[in-house]
Amino acid sequence: MKAGIVGLPNVGKSTLFNCLSNAKAQSANFPFCTIEPNIGVVNVPDQRLEKLESLVKPERVVPATVEIVDIAGLVKGASKGEGLGNQFLANIRETDAILHVLRCFDNDNIVHVDGSVNPIRDKETIDMELQLKDLETVEKKLDKVKRAAKTGNKDAQKEEAVLLKIKQGLESGISVRAIEFEADDYNDFVKPSQFITDKPVMYVCNVDEGSAVSGNAYVEKVKAAVTDENAEVLVLAVGTEADINELDDYEERKLFLEDIGLDEPGSAKLIRGAYKLLNQQTYFTAGVKEVRAWTVDVGATAPQAAGVIHTDFEKGFIRAEVIAYDDYVHYGSEVKVKEAGKMRVEGKNYIVKDGDVMHFLFNV
C-alpha cells in the first residue's frame, strides 16, 4: 500500500519526503526537481511497540512500515500532458492514498509557480486536473456501457446511471470521493474503476515555524474548503521538520520540539495519518526472539492476519490466541495474562482489533 505526496512545484513535497524517509530526494528551489517518483519505506511510530519491547526485552524489534512516494509537481494542463502531466497522473494512479501538500506560508525567497501564495487556488488547480482525467475515464466507460444498456441489460443500466452521476459531479468540480452512492453501487461500479479523485486524501498545510502549533489564516481557509470531502487536515512546518531531522541527539530533538510547543515531530503524526488513510491497522507478535508490528487491513479476519506472516499460516489456520494490548501491559507478561484468564482463543471468523497481541496455531 502506497501513499503519494502530491502538490504544485515548490510547495515543500521533496523536503517533506526527506523528513519522512532516509532516501534523500533532491530538494531545490525550482520546479520539477523530482523527475522520477522517489519511494521511501517509512517506519510507523508506535509507542505500543516500545512498551512491549520494555516488557518482553526481545532480541529485536520490527516496526510496521508504510510506503511513501514523492511525485513530481503538477501544473495546469497536466491532464492534457503539460509539464510532466502524463507521468504525474500515471504515478498518482498507482498510489492508494494522497498526501496533498499545500503551501500555507509567505516567503519572498521561495518562488511560487503561480506568482502568489493561495492554497485554495493551488488545491483547485490540482483537483481540476485530476477531475479532468477522471472525466476522461468516465466518458470512455460510458461509451461502452450505454451500448449494453440499450439492449436492456439491467446491470449496464444501473452502471450507466452511476457513471452519469459521476460525470455530472466531475463537470461541476466535485471529486468522486465527495459524491454519495448506495453501498452496492459504490462496490460494484465505482470502486473497481479506481478513479483518481476517489482516493482518500489528507491535506498537509505546510506552514512557517510560528504557525506549527496553531496554524494560520491560510490553514483555516483550507479547513473550510474541504469540509465536504471528509478529509483530514494536518498542519506541518516542513522546513522546521527538516531542521529537527538534522539533529542526531534525541534530547536535542526533544528540546527543539518543546521550544516550538510540540510534543512530537509533525512528521510522526503524518506517517500515522497516512497509515490510517490507507485503512491499515496493527497487530503484534511478542516473543523473546522478536517483538513485531504487523500490518493488516481494518476488518481483516484472524486467518488473513496469519497470512501476513506466511501464506501457510492462513491455509492451515486452526485458531488464534489473542491478548488485548491493554491487558498485556496491565499484567506485564503473557504468563500473567494467562493466569488471569485474559487470553482468548479465537477462530476463523474473528475480526482483528488494532493492537491485538496474537499467536497462531496452524497445520499444513
Side-chain angles (χ1 to χ4, degrees):
M1 301 289 279
K2 289 187 234 177
I5 301 176
V6 306
L8 292 179
N10 280 10
V11 295
K13 298 185 313 302
S14 295
T15 307
L16 174 60
F17 177 80
N18 289 342
C19 291
L20 300 176
S21 166
N22 290 327
K24 290 292 179 188
Q26 184 187 1
S27 176
N29 183 21
F30 57 89
F32 307 134
C33 64
T34 309
I35 304 297
E36 292 298 324
N38 293 277
I39 298 175
V41 178
V42 184
N43 292 340
V44 179
D46 194 331
Q47 291 179 336
R48 296 173 302 179
L49 195 63
E50 294 167 24
K51 185 65 181 174
L52 288 172
E53 180 186 10
S54 71
L55 294 172
V56 180
K57 298 180 173 54
E59 290 174 19
R60 69 174 189 153
V61 177
V62 183
T65 59
V66 63
E67 210 164 278
I68 305 286
V69 186
D70 179 25
I71 298 170
L74 175 145
V75 292
K76 280 178 190 167
S79 57
K80 300 284 182 280
E82 292 293 324
L84 296 165
N86 292 331
Q87 192 174 341
F88 173 96
L89 292 162
N91 292 336
I92 198 172
R93 200 179 284 284
E94 289 169 12
T95 64
D96 303 286
I98 296 169
L99 306 174
H100 187 160
V101 183
L102 295 167
R103 178 171 168 177
C104 294
F105 66 90
D106 295 306
N107 186 333
D108 293 338
N109 295 321
I110 300 176
V111 296
H112 190 289
V113 73
D114 285 331
S116 63
V117 178
N118 184 335
I120 306 305
R121 179 201 58 212
D122 295 353
K123 175 190 176 305
E124 287 170 354
T125 295
I126 287 197
D127 282 351
M128 187 176 70
E129 296 304 328
L130 300 184
Q131 287 162 3
L132 286 169
K133 202 65 186 173
D134 276 350
L135 194 56
E136 198 179 291
T137 302
V138 86
E139 283 171 346
K140 282 179 186 171
K141 277 188 161 291
L142 267 170
D143 285 344
K144 291 179 185 173
V145 171
K146 276 179 177 174
R147 287 195 290 273
K150 280 177 184 172
T151 66
N153 183 309
K154 298 288 185 196
D155 284 341
Q157 287 170 350
K158 272 189 192 175
E159 185 171 6
E160 182 185 16
V162 172
L163 292 175
L164 285 169
K165 187 177 183 180
I166 293 170
K167 183 174 186 282
Q168 189 180 4
L170 291 168
E171 286 173 342
S172 303
I174 301 168
S175 293
V176 176
R177 77 177 73 85
I179 301 171
E180 287 188 16
F181 301 97
E182 295 290 332
D184 288 346
D185 287 347
Y186 179 79
N187 290 324
D188 293 344
F189 307 124
V190 184
K191 196 175 179 181
S193 299
Q194 295 184 308
F195 292 109
I196 297 174
T197 64
D198 190 36
K199 294 178 189 291
V201 64
M202 177 194 290
Y203 293 98
V204 182
C205 293
N206 183 10
V207 299
D208 57 281
E209 186 176 307
S211 306
V213 176
S214 306
N216 56 28
Y218 291 130
V219 174
E220 293 310 311
K221 286 178 182 175
V222 171
K223 285 179 178 176
V226 305
T227 47
D228 294 341
E229 292 188 49
N230 194 25
E232 191 174 343
V233 177
L234 184 76
V235 178
L236 201 66
V238 175
T240 306
E241 295 285 328
D243 292 339
I244 294 168
N245 220 34
E246 293 296 315
L247 300 172
D248 294 324
D249 185 73
Y250 172 77
E251 290 303 323
E252 281 185 26
R253 286 186 182 206
K254 201 173 172 187
L255 283 170
F256 195 133
L257 287 164
E258 284 171 5
D259 282 347
I260 58 174
L262 295 173
D263 55 356
E264 67 173 343
S267 54
K269 289 177 184 167
L270 186 137
I271 294 164
R272 285 199 298 273
Y275 194 67
K276 188 179 168 188
L277 204 61
L278 291 164
N279 201 37
Q280 304 282 274
Q281 64 178 4
T282 299
Y283 78 85
F284 302 101
T285 50
V288 289
K289 287 277 182 193
E290 177 183 271
V291 166
R292 184 168 186 148
W294 299 90
T295 299
V296 290
D297 290 340
V298 172
T301 61
Q304 288 169 333
V308 172
I309 299 175
H310 198 286
T311 51
D312 285 350
F313 283 29
E314 184 171 2
K315 285 177 194 166
F317 179 89
I318 299 170
R319 63 182 183 272
E321 295 175 343
V322 184
I323 303 170
Y325 169 78
D326 288 343
D327 286 339
Y328 201 110
V329 171
H330 177 73
Y331 292 101
S333 73
E334 188 176 310
V335 172
K336 287 180 180 173
V337 170
K338 283 181 180 175
E339 287 172 357
K342 291 291 186 178
M343 177 184 278
R344 306 189 315 276
V345 174
E346 300 286 0
K348 290 184 176 180
N349 296 325
Y350 177 68
I351 304 298
V352 177
K353 294 180 179 62
D354 188 51
D356 278 348
V357 182
M358 305 184 79
H359 176 67
F360 301 103
L361 283 85
F362 69 100
N363 183 24
V364 177

